[in-house]
């Protein structure tokens, strides 16, 4: 992380109608860094983004952008004067504007003349390979196209922080991969910070420099993808960040890659799934059920007696009796 | 017609998916026509029927007691009343005339000009009751007879001077005056017609009123309201509305200026297609009889029959009548001249 | 284009029904008027159209309609946008209060202004201030604006409620647009269908308005086409006057066609687009509390000047013995109420309420039918057509219906109901269409695919988001039908007297005291259910897209 964080959040509390949506969240994101906000629905991801964007007023806490307090110190700075851009889950493209005018919109707001804004917007759209859609309106675009236009609009803003609010939630799998690639590439080029809200662990781990885990308005854990995957603070965090087996009465976490078939331990194969490059085996051993991932097609059939080895494990810090969590 | 057209799609052309909304519409329309349909006018067409339909612009307060007295005097007879302000009444008559004929047996109007137009269209007229002779000549023709009179008088605020003659209204003491619009109210047109024909006044009279702060409002009732409210100091209006305001307690006085209050009579006439209707004839006869006129006078309208008591008339109050035939002939020219003073 | 329509939802039945109703309510009556004109004028329209002062009246009418529209609609939009903010102090109160002018009949509103601000009026008595311009074009304009602004507000507000998509505004804010820029580049553009609907309604309504120009315009010699029609019908009773009235009415229809049809044709297809499935929420970005307070103060001032003072003057005259006496307790009386509340009026009131309920309910249904149909090309012509009967002055429309159906229906409640349906169809249609046009067809399709019949699908899926628009439309129609004077007094017969007929017949309009008392009764009568309705709408809207939905979505 760089010395000077671009975005700093301290003790943020947000309430709606007496319901507390965020209960004291503190975070910092540096220039060029991507922070993923990972949490289930209702955990407060969007609320956090909305607070940063200035779409809502927190009850307490401060938000600083590039060293300037935008929330928490006197009158909050309105969204348009915060140097950030938002990419929305629903794309939020304006139905009355063409794609080109949509991308030109932030440029126009910075004072660019119409023609110049359009030229620049077209250049941005070319980089995202959506310039052929320039004349179309949102209703004439597919979801993936709409989100690319949404990304282009965000890029046109040239912000110091990007806020991505589950931008791929409504996209097809194959579109999603291409979009994410694009997004990461552009964001890295720009050197801006990014906060990326998602409920998809794979997406978060593959994309982010650091991952912040949210549960019921609280930060559970913040760390590199490796850290939150390998060393989750509790069972909830473990389950949130990927497939997890818990053995020995809930005390030991085993990720699918941490166990192998063959070895001293005995178990019965309960289920097997072919996943293309690899296969997942669910084995039932005296220490508990374990998911094992091996490359290649399935080598055993359900019901077979198999042997397995535990190559790596992580003792969960949480209470051993907490295994009843989701 | 309506029931036919609304019912059709509900039963037929919608095919597999009859629209419930349509059916609903049809049911509602049917229900409503069922509850209202039996009262439409056909029963009053025949000459033998004891019911008659009356179209009038006379106020309920006057016409209801007269109808009640008639129904009592002629047992078994029944009057079905349609009452509306002049504009709506004329529209209804015009619509009737274009959709199967006038649906009234008797029309009791508020001014002779309109009634003459109905006569000219062949809708009413051709008969007056035998007792009509008792009504002064200026209140009747061969086709209709005056049943009540409106007197156009001056109304003024108690803190403004009382006009002795009409021309006083053009004199000092008034900051704002109101006159009714002769292109909206027949009573105002009669008044204009009277002044236009009087060599001492002419349309110039209105010019001098305007120079003295007069504005034109719509109807005589609007004049009374405005003067009572205090927007205007004085104005030309009907005696009945002016006295009503005074009786309510508004700070106004009523004057019958020289050379006289202008009499606008409300004629009653028999529909030409009801020439055989005895009950319709009986009603007209009753309205202009001494008995009917007494009821009418007691109900707050001025009777046409001499010697019958009506509402307030100051002792020796002068009354004049416009020449309606001349007004009918000159209407456009006089209105045009007038409108050069007061605009459209 | 077909992918975005609702072809799978709307079967042939709806267009057939709409075409039929169009014929019955609009086309036949208008054609009969044209036919009468054609047959009786012998083609000599030039004589009528060349009559002196007519061009002035037409100019007055059009200028007035434009002036009222460009003032009342922005006021309505402003009210809708300000009242949308949940953090506005006293919001529930304001939302009801701004609708007050709707429940006061327009002829009473005009009178109440003179009572409040003219010479010897309320302010003149208290402060020595009066405004002479009230009785003239400016006064006509101002009172018409006050009268029309709540209608514009209602139409825009229901549009806003049905299509609020805060993310679109948030996206603009996050793109660097300030709140004013967002208002003009995004919010108003999204509201365009509702704003267009409001503009058309206000414009056409003003074209056909009569009572206020009559009361306030006449003293300044300010005549409009409608006051001329009134004059033509009132004087003479001869065929020439009647023909002139018919010609003028058809001229109004023509003006309406010229002004409205291009708008409907151009705007219609331009504005449609699919709404994201989960758009909801009302608050975009928090504002400053001081601004809210300022807005509340502004609202209060507006209502005080436009409604409270005139209505207080009206209420006082309803209990004051006579015009022109000071409205002090010594002069108070309930006589006017006794005159108004007789057995006959109560009977007629029941009939009027029944008629108004039937008319409003059928109209909402009809409005919904056309709004659904309007998603197709032919539907836009329908929208224009039903606006034509709105522009016809009540007297002329009643005459048209009487000429067309009088043989069978003269004097029946059915004919009065038909008149209300014809007159107010556009009132119901435009707000509903403004709200419906972005209801995603997928939602209805999903319901159909889940086993719901067409009606069940509409009821379960479309009704909830449309509820504010439907209730708003219902309310406008109900109130307007309840107050209606001209058509029912021209069309009634034995046993179908409406309240307006009974009261008009015994009093005429000149007697202000009873008329004021009647208005107070009507206002209370309408305001109470209206208040309840509005609360229900508010509750519905909160349940539909309020803070709880917001919490569920965020996160």
């Amino acid at each position: 992380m760089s010395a000077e964080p671009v975005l700093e959040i301290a003790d943020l509390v947000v309430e709606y109608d007496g319901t507390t949506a965020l209960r004291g969240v503190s975070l910092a994101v540096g220039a060029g860094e991507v922070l993923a906000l990972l949490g289930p629905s209702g955990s407060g991801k969007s609320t956090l983004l909305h607070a940063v964007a200035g779409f809502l007023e927190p009850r307490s806490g401060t938000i600083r952008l590039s060293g300037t307090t935008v929330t928490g110190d006197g009158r909050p700075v309105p969204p348009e004067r915060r140097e950030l851009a938002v990419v929305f889950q629903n794309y939020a493209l304006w139905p009355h504007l063409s794609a080109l005018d949509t991308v030109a919109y932030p440029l126009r707001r910075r004072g660019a003349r119409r023609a110049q804004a359009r030229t620049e917007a077209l250049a941005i759209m070319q980089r995202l390979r959506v310039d052929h859609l320039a004349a179309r309106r949102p209703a004439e675009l597919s979801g993936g196209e709409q989100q690319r236009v949404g990304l282009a609009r965000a890029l046109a803003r040239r912000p110091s922080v990007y806020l991505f609010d589950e931008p791929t939630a409504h996209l097809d799998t194959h579109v999603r991969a291409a979009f994410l690639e694009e997004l990461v590439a552009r964001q890295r080029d720009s050197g801006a910070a990014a906060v990326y809200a998602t409920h998809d662990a794979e997406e978060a781990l593959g994309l982010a420099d650091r991952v912040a885990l949210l549960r019921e308005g609280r930060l559970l854990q913040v760390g590199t993808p490796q850290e939150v995957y390998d060393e989750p603070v509790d069972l909830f965090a473990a389950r949130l960040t990927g497939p997890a087996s818990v053995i020995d009465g809930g005390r030991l976490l085993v990720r699918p890659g941490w166990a192998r078939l063959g070895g001293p331990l005995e178990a019965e194969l309960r289920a097997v799934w072919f996943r293309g490059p690899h296969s997942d085996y669910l084995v039932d051993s005296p220490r508990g059920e374990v998911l094992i991932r091996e490359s290649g097609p399935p080598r055993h059939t359900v019901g077979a007696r198999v042997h397995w080895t535990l190559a790596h494990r992580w003792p969960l810090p949480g209470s051993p009796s907490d295994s009843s969590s989701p | 017609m309506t029931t036919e057209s609304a019912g059709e799609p509900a039963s037929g052309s919608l095919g597999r998916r009859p629209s419930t909304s349509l059916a609903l519409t049809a049911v509602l329309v049917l229900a409503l026509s069922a509850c209202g349909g039996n009262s439409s006018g056909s029963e009053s067409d025949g000459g033998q029927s004891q019911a008659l339909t009356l179209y009038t612009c006379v106020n309920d307060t006057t016409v209801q007691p007269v109808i009640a007295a008639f129904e009592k005097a002629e047992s078994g007879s029944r009057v079905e009343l349609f009452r509306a302000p002049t504009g709506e009444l004329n529209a209804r008559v015009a619509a009737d005339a274009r959709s199967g004929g006038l649906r009234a047996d008797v029309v009791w109007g508020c001014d002779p000009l309109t009634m003459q137009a109905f006569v000219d269209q062949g809708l009413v007229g051709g008969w007056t009751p035998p007792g009509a002779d008792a009504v002064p000549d200026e209140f009747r023709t061969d086709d209709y007879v005056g049943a009540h009179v409106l007197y156009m008088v001056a109304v003024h605020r108690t803190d403004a001077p009382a006009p002795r003659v009409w021309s006083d209204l053009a004199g000092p003491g008034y900051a704002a005056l109101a006159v009714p619009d002769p292109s909206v109210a027949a009573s105002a047109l009669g008044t204009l017609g009277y002044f236009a024909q009087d060599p001492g006044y002419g349309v110039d009279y209105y010019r001098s009123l305007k120079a003295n702060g007069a504005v034109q409002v719509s109807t005589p009732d609007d004049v009374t309201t405005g003067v009572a409210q205090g927007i205007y100091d004085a104005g030309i209006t009907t005696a009945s509305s002016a006295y009503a305001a005074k009786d309510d307690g508004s700070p106004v006085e009523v004057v019958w200026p020289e050379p006289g209050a202008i009499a606008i009579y409300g004629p009653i006439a028999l529909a030409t297609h009801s020439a055989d209707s005895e009950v319709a004839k009986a009603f007209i006869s009753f309205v202009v009889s001494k008995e009917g006129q007494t009821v009418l006078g007691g109900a707050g309208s001025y009777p046409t029959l001499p010697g019958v008591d009506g509402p307030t008339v100051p002792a020796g109050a002068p009354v004049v009548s416009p020449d309606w035939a001349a007004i009918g002939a000159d209407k456009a020219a006089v209105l045009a001249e007038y409108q050069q003073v007061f605009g459209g | 284009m077909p992918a975005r329509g609702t072809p799978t939802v709307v079967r042939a039945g709806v267009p057939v029904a709409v075409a039929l109703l169009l014929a019955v309510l609009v086309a036949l009556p208008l054609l009969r008027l044209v036919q009468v004109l054609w047959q009786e004028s012998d083609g000599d329209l030039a004589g009528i159209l060349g009559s002196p002062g007519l061009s002035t009246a037409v100019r007055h009418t059009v200028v007035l309609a434009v002036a009222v529209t460009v003032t009342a609609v922005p006021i309505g939009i402003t009210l809708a946008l300000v009242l949308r903010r949940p953090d506005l102090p006293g919001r529930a109160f304001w939302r009801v209060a701004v609708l007050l002018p709707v429940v006061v009949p327009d002829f009473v509103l005009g009178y109440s202004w003179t009572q409040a601000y003219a010479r010897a009026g309320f302010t003149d008595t208290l402060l020595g201030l009066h405004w002479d311009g009230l009785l003239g074009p400016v006064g006509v304009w101002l009172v018409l604006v006050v009268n029309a602004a709540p209608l514009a507000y209602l139409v825009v507000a229901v549009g806003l409620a049905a299509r609020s998509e805060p993310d679109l505004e948030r996206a603009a804010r996050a793109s660097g647009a300030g709140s004013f820029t967002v208002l003009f580049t995004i919010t108003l553009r999204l509201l365009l269908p509702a704003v267009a609907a409001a503009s058309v309604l206000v414009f056409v309504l003003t074209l056909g308005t009569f009572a206020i120009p009559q009361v306030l315009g006449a003293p300044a010699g300010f005549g409009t086409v409608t006051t001329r029609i009134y004059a033509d019908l009132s004087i003479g009773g001869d065929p020439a006057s009647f023909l002139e009235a018919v010609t003028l009415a058809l001229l109004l229809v023509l003006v309406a066609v010229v002004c409205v049809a291009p708008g409907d044709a151009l705007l219609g297809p331009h504005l449609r687009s699919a709404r994201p499935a989960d758009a909801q929420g009302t608050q975009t970005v928090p504002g400053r509390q001081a601004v809210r307070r300022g807005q509340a103060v502004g609202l209060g001032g507006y209502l005080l000047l436009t409604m409270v003072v005139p209505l207080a003057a009206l209420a006082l005259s309803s209990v004051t013995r006579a015009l022109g006496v000071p409205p002090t307790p010594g002069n108070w009386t309930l006589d006017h109420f006794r005159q108004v509340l007789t057995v006959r009026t109560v009977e007629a009131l029941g009939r009027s309420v029944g008629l108004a309920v039937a008319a409003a309910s059928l109209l909402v249904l009809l409005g919904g039918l056309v709004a659904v149909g309007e998603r197709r090309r032919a539907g836009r012509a329908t929208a224009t057509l039903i606006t034509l009967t709105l522009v016809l002055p009540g007297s002329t429309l009643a005459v048209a219906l009487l000429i067309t159906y009088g043989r069978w229906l003269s004097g029946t409640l059915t004919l009065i109901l038909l008149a209300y349906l014809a007159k107010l169809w556009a009132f119901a249609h435009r707000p509903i269409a403004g709200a419906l046009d972005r209801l995603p067809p997928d939602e209805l399709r999903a319901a159909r695919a889940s086993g719901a019949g067409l009606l069940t699908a509409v009821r379960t899926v479309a009704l909830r988001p449309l509820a504010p628009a439907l209730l708003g439309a219902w309310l406008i129609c109900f109130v307007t039908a309840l107050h209606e004077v001209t058509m029912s007094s021209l069309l009634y017969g034995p046993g179908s007297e409406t309240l307006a007929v009974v009261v008009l017949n015994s009093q005429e309009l000149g007697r202000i005291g009873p008329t004021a008392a009647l208005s107070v009764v009507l206002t209370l009568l309408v305001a109470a259910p209206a208040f309840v309705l509005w609360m229900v709408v508010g509750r519905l809207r909160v349940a539909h897209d309020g803070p709880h939905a917001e919490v569920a979505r965020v996160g």
Side-chain angles (χ1 to χ4, degrees):
Chain A
M1 202 211 291
S2 70
E4 173 70 15
V6 180
L7 169 64
E8 285 177 273
I9 301 167
D11 295 324
L12 201 63
V13 177
V14 174
E15 282 183 3
Y16 292 107
D17 265 3
T19 321
T20 311
L22 287 182
R23 307 159 186 261
V25 171
S26 301
L27 268 178
V29 190
E33 186 186 22
V34 179
L35 175 86
L37 278 181
L38 181 60
S41 307
S43 59
K45 303 186 297 286
S46 286
T47 304
L48 184 56
L49 293 191
H50 282 204
V52 173
F55 297 155
L56 55 81
E57 253 178 79
R59 183 184 172 79
S60 63
T62 56
I63 300 170
R64 290 162 66 83
L65 279 172
S66 307
T68 313
T69 304
V70 291
T71 295
D73 188 11
R75 191 156 95 72
V77 174
E80 67 272 18
R81 290 201 273 117
R82 302 182 178 200
E83 283 182 16
L84 45 80
V86 185
V87 177
F88 293 83
Q89 183 175 358
N90 300 318
Y91 324 131
L93 297 188
W94 304 298
H96 61 289
L97 292 185
S98 69
L100 185 64
D101 285 335
T102 302
V103 180
Y105 190 92
L107 301 167
R108 295 276 286 146
R109 301 286 85 76
R110 273 211 313 263
R113 298 198 163 276
R114 192 186 181 84
Q116 193 206 340
R118 284 188 164 176
T119 315
E120 266 185 64
L122 198 62
I124 294 168
M125 293 178 80
Q126 269 161 355
R127 270 191 278 144
L128 291 177
R129 293 182 296 279
V130 286
D131 46 317
H132 61 291
L133 306 173
R136 297 206 203 158
R137 291 181 187 241
E140 300 159 327
L141 299 174
S142 72
E145 289 167 341
Q146 288 199 51
Q147 200 54 296
R148 275 163 186 266
V149 174
L151 178 61
R153 172 175 67 187
L155 290 173
R157 174 88 163 125
R158 282 187 237 126
S160 44
V161 178
Y162 288 95
L163 303 176
F164 297 103
D165 190 359
E166 304 206 41
T168 59
H170 292 167
L171 298 185
D172 295 343
T173 319
H174 66 284
V175 179
R176 174 187 292 209
F179 174 79
L180 280 178
E181 194 179 304
E182 197 70 62
L183 181 149
V184 172
R186 296 306 157 204
Q187 185 268 332
R188 301 257 188 239
D189 289 352
S190 72
V195 182
Y196 188 104
T198 180
H199 60 263
D200 185 320
E202 253 183 77
E203 206 173 88
L205 299 178
L207 183 86
D209 300 308
R210 282 188 304 144
V211 178
L213 306 184
L214 263 179
R215 182 190 187 185
E216 290 169 4
R218 282 207 178 80
L219 273 187
L220 213 51
Q221 186 176 6
V222 183
T224 62
Q226 187 81 48
E227 280 166 6
V228 297
Y229 185 78
D230 287 351
E231 299 165 8
V233 290
D234 62 13
L235 185 61
F236 186 88
R239 295 229 153 107
L240 192 60
T241 45
S245 310
V246 193
I247 56 172
D248 295 351
R251 277 181 291 113
L252 276 188
L253 169 72
V254 181
R255 296 290 189 187
W258 296 354
R260 263 188 219 110
L261 288 177
L265 300 170
E266 284 202 356
E268 185 187 330
L269 186 59
R270 274 289 158 81
V272 60
W273 298 274
F274 178 53
R275 306 269 193 212
H278 58 260
S279 301
D280 284 339
Y281 302 84
L282 182 65
V283 301
D284 189 12
S285 82
R287 298 175 68 180
E289 285 195 347
V290 180
L291 191 71
I292 300 170
R293 181 164 294 174
E294 294 273 338
S295 58
R299 281 181 272 141
H300 302 277
T301 52
V302 173
R305 300 294 303 175
V306 292
H307 286 85
W308 64 289
T309 323
L310 200 53
H312 180 72
R313 60 192 171 279
W314 169 251
L316 285 170
S319 147
S321 59
D322 193 28
S323 55
S324 61
S325 302
Chain B
M1 172 75 197
T2 310
T3 54
E4 252 173 47
S5 48
E8 184 186 12
S11 57
S13 64
L14 279 188
R16 285 176 302 130
R17 289 171 207 270
S19 150
T20 311
S21 55
L22 254 186
L24 207 80
T25 313
V27 165
L28 251 159
V29 170
L30 276 169
L32 274 163
S33 38
C35 72
N38 56 1
S39 58
S40 57
S42 63
E43 60 211 288
S44 58
D45 286 345
Q48 301 309 310
S49 164
Q50 286 298 292
L52 75 107
T53 302
L54 169 68
Y55 277 14
T56 187
C57 48
V58 180
N59 277 359
D60 257 4
T61 37
T62 293
V63 80
Q64 292 284 9
V66 173
I67 289 175
F70 169 72
E71 285 177 347
K72 203 172 156 200
E74 300 268 325
S75 61
S77 58
R78 192 160 49 85
V79 178
E80 291 194 340
L81 174 69
F82 172 79
R83 201 220 77 91
T86 311
E88 279 81 0
L89 182 69
N90 289 348
R92 171 106 166 207
V93 169
D96 275 5
R98 286 159 183 82
S99 61
L102 188 62
R103 276 181 275 277
D105 303 296
V106 177
V107 178
W108 181 355
C110 293
D111 70 281
L113 207 62
T114 306
M115 195 60 82
Q116 186 59 47
F118 294 162
V119 171
D120 293 344
Q121 292 167 68
L123 298 172
V124 300
W127 182 85
T128 55
D133 300 353
V135 173
D137 280 349
E138 65 265 31
F139 292 158
R140 62 186 162 88
T141 70
D142 291 343
D143 294 300
Y144 44 86
V145 54
H148 74 282
V149 195
L150 293 176
Y151 291 109
M152 297 301 284
V153 297
V155 62
H156 67 93
R157 300 278 294 179
T158 46
D159 52 8
R164 194 185 56 81
V165 294
W166 279 113
S167 54
D168 284 352
L169 285 177
Y174 309 103
L177 294 161
V179 297
D181 185 350
S183 65
V184 167
S187 53
L189 182 59
T191 309
L192 169 64
Y194 171 77
F195 285 124
Q197 286 154 8
D198 187 321
Y201 284 88
V203 177
D204 271 348
Y205 175 54
Y206 286 88
R207 204 163 275 128
S208 57
L209 286 181
K210 174 143 192 191
N212 205 28
V215 299
Q216 170 195 277
V217 301
S218 277
T219 61
D221 283 340
D222 291 336
V223 173
T224 307
T225 303
V227 174
Q229 267 183 282
I231 300 178
Y232 312 107
D233 296 322
I236 303 172
T237 187
T238 57
S240 41
S241 81
Y243 281 120
K246 188 184 171 199
D247 292 347
D248 281 349
S250 292
V252 295
E253 282 297 338
V254 190
V255 179
W256 298 48
E258 300 282 352
I262 294 126
I264 315 289
Y265 72 99
I268 190 164
L270 184 68
T272 46
H273 68 82
S274 303
D276 300 330
S277 169
E278 290 309 320
V279 67
K281 288 177 176 173
F283 180 73
I284 296 176
S285 302
F286 177 80
V287 172
V288 295
S289 71
K290 185 148 176 111
E291 190 187 353
Q293 290 280 293
T294 307
V295 173
L296 182 149
S301 283
Y302 290 97
T304 48
L305 202 64
V308 175
D309 280 342
T312 321
V313 180
V319 171
V320 292
S321 275
D323 178 349
W324 288 105
I327 293 175
D330 287 352
K331 185 178 128 191
V334 173
L335 269 180
E337 197 184 344
Y338 167 86
Q339 276 159 357
Q340 288 183 344
V341 182
F342 275 113
Chain C
M1 199 57 101
R4 284 186 287 132
T6 49
T8 56
V9 175
V10 185
R11 300 269 158 190
V14 170
V16 168
V18 168
L20 213 87
L21 286 163
L22 269 179
V24 170
L25 294 176
V26 181
L28 279 177
L30 278 177
L31 285 176
R32 284 289 282 147
L33 280 188
V34 172
Q35 188 194 8
V36 162
L37 186 64
W38 186 257
Q39 283 172 350
E40 298 183 22
S41 68
D42 299 323
D44 179 30
L45 289 182
I48 297 172
L49 293 173
S51 72
L54 181 58
S55 64
T56 314
V58 171
R59 199 177 62 240
H60 284 171
T61 299
V62 172
V63 169
L64 187 66
V66 170
V68 169
T69 308
V70 300
T71 325
V73 171
I75 291 177
I77 295 171
T78 310
L79 288 175
L81 290 174
V82 168
L83 292 176
R84 163 170 82 143
R85 314 299 308 225
D87 51 352
L88 181 79
R91 179 172 176 235
F93 167 76
W94 296 122
R95 291 218 291 211
V96 178
V98 296
L99 288 175
L100 264 178
V102 173
V103 298
V104 181
D106 55 355
F107 61 88
V108 175
L109 192 69
Y111 163 73
S112 68
W113 275 67
T114 66
Q115 187 74 339
Y117 299 120
R119 183 181 172 209
F122 212 58
T123 52
D124 203 6
T125 314
L126 287 179
L127 309 167
L129 290 175
H130 72 274
W131 179 38
D132 284 328
L134 179 61
L135 297 167
V138 179
V140 173
W141 164 76
L142 192 66
V143 178
L144 282 175
V145 165
V146 170
N147 195 32
L151 177 69
Y153 156 71
L154 208 54
V155 175
V156 175
V158 297
L160 203 57
R163 59 174 48 234
S164 80
E165 292 161 46
D167 272 356
L168 293 181
E169 292 172 1
R170 291 181 180 134
R173 292 296 292 269
S175 296
S179 48
F180 273 96
T181 312
V182 171
L183 180 66
F184 286 104
T185 57
I186 307 295
T187 315
L188 288 181
R189 296 299 302 269
L190 294 175
L191 274 179
L192 215 52
V195 171
S199 304
V200 166
L201 280 185
V202 171
F203 180 81
V204 169
L205 202 66
T206 312
L207 281 184
T209 193
F210 164 68
I212 290 171
Q214 173 82 346
V215 172
L216 299 178
F222 181 79
T224 62
V225 175
T226 50
T227 61
R228 264 187 89 104
I229 291 174
Y230 179 74
D232 282 330
L233 291 176
S234 295
I235 279 287
D238 53 314
S241 305
F242 179 75
L243 274 192
E244 180 167 311
V246 169
T247 313
L248 293 181
L250 289 173
L251 192 67
L252 277 183
V253 171
L254 206 66
V255 172
V257 171
V258 167
C259 298
V260 173
D264 280 343
L266 287 177
L267 285 177
H270 212 64
L271 298 171
R272 321 260 165 242
S273 61
R275 186 184 64 151
D278 57 353
Q280 50 203 194
T282 50
Q283 186 169 8
T284 306
V285 173
R288 294 167 65 183
Q289 204 50 36
V291 174
R292 297 280 161 266
R293 253 179 253 123
Q295 285 170 337
V297 170
L299 269 177
Y302 170 77
L303 285 174
L304 181 74
L305 287 177
T306 60
M307 291 311 301
V308 176
V309 173
L311 286 182
L314 183 73
L316 278 175
S317 30
S318 74
V319 295
T320 301
R321 183 161 55 87
L323 280 175
V325 304
T328 47
N331 287 323
W332 284 0
T333 171
L334 289 177
D335 280 354
H336 300 317
F337 286 91
R338 271 193 283 275
Q339 281 176 323
V340 165
L341 294 172
T342 63
V343 176
R344 276 187 75 207
T345 51
V346 171
E347 259 177 41
L349 179 64
R351 212 173 282 131
S352 281
V353 170
L355 255 181
V357 167
S361 308
L362 284 173
L363 280 165
V364 165
L365 229 142
L366 287 185
L369 275 184
V370 179
V372 171
E374 199 187 2
R375 302 175 139 223
R376 301 167 169 206
R377 204 165 288 272
R380 291 196 290 279
T382 310
T384 309
L385 279 176
I386 62 174
T387 310
L388 299 186
T389 38
L390 177 63
V391 75
L392 273 185
S395 54
T396 324
L397 178 60
V399 165
L401 287 166
L402 209 49
I403 293 179
T404 316
Y405 305 114
R407 281 165 208 273
W408 306 278
L409 297 174
S410 183
T412 61
L413 280 175
T414 312
L415 193 57
I416 301 181
L417 181 66
L418 282 183
Y420 288 177
L421 296 183
K423 177 85 179 166
L424 301 176
W425 192 349
F427 259 19
H429 163 70
R430 296 212 173 240
I432 296 174
L436 182 79
D437 71 348
R438 295 181 75 190
L439 185 77
D442 273 352
E443 290 185 8
L444 283 176
R445 293 194 184 113
R448 295 303 293 277
S450 308
L454 173 56
L455 280 178
T456 313
V458 170
R459 183 170 54 78
T460 50
V461 177
L463 214 54
R464 200 63 183 271
L466 287 181
L470 295 176
L471 280 173
W474 193 91
L475 197 64
I476 299 179
C477 294
F478 174 77
V479 169
T480 318
L482 195 63
H483 289 162
E484 200 283 324
V485 174
T486 313
M487 293 192 294
S488 55
S489 66
L490 211 157
L491 294 175
Y492 85 99
S496 61
E497 295 97 337
T498 64
L499 183 66
V501 170
V502 170
V503 173
L504 267 186
N505 281 359
S506 52
Q507 306 296 343
E508 295 281 6
L509 285 181
R511 294 289 300 282
I512 290 301
T515 312
L518 178 71
S519 302
V520 170
V521 171
L522 278 185
T523 304
L524 291 178
L525 204 77
V526 170
F531 187 80
V532 172
L533 266 183
W534 201 249
M535 289 290 115
V536 171
V537 174
R539 187 117 350 127
L540 276 182
R541 198 172 311 157
V542 167
H544 183 62
D545 55 19
H548 296 293
E550 180 104 357
V551 171
R553 193 176 65 85
V554 169

